[in-house]
Amino acid sequence: MAAPDVHDFLARPLVARVATAGPTVRPVWFLWEDGAFWWLTGAYARLGRRLAGDPVVALVVDSCDLATGQVLSVTCRGPAEVVPLDRARAVRKLTRYLGPEETWPVRFSASLDDPAARLVRCVPERPPVVRDLSW
């Protein structure tokens, strides 16, 4: 079976793992849009301070289907920056994982009204590619 198109793969509601200097690794819900990975952050996270010290991150998005043996992976590296919240982009991202906005738990919709809410934007050094690591 051929690996899917990278844009189709990254459109799936998968979890990315992001590594920053330290090292530290965190799972994030993300949006792949306009040639960048986007995820939410805010005052609750140390991510902004970590990126100020060293903006380069590594990111992996993968899937593993034990029933079929299909393992797909996208691994990227590149600079990440904390940018102002784009509410429409944040809603698109959260809708991928939570469904329609009117059905979200209050903590998610309220987080977008937090004045400290921001987005992280990571543009990979190279265009992402889906690697098929299936057995």
Side-chain angles (χ1 to χ4, degrees), residues 10-60:
L10 294 175
R12 294 170 53 189
L14 300 169
V15 174
R17 270 130 349 248
V18 176
T20 59
T24 181
V25 178
R26 64 191 38 82
V28 297
W29 289 349
F30 69 93
L31 183 67
W32 169 251
E33 195 171 82
D34 298 331
F37 290 93
W38 303 84
W39 64 91
L40 287 164
T41 194
Y44 56 85
R46 289 180 265 181
L47 183 60
R49 291 186 302 276
R50 289 192 179 276
L51 293 177
D54 184 350
V56 178
V57 302
L59 180 142
V60 63

Side-chain angles (χ1 to χ4, degrees), residues 87-133:
R87 185 179 176 85
R89 190 182 305 269
V91 167
R92 286 193 300 277
K93 187 208 72 137
L94 289 172
T95 298
R96 266 172 58 118
Y97 295 93
L98 298 171
E101 187 174 2
E102 59 274 4
T103 66
W104 297 356
V106 171
R107 69 186 179 109
F108 290 100
S109 52
S111 71
L112 298 182
D113 295 326
D114 181 345
R118 302 285 184 269
L119 284 170
V120 176
R121 177 179 179 261
C122 176
V123 177
E125 293 171 345
R126 292 184 200 94
V129 174
V130 177
R131 298 201 190 314
D132 189 340
L133 307 173

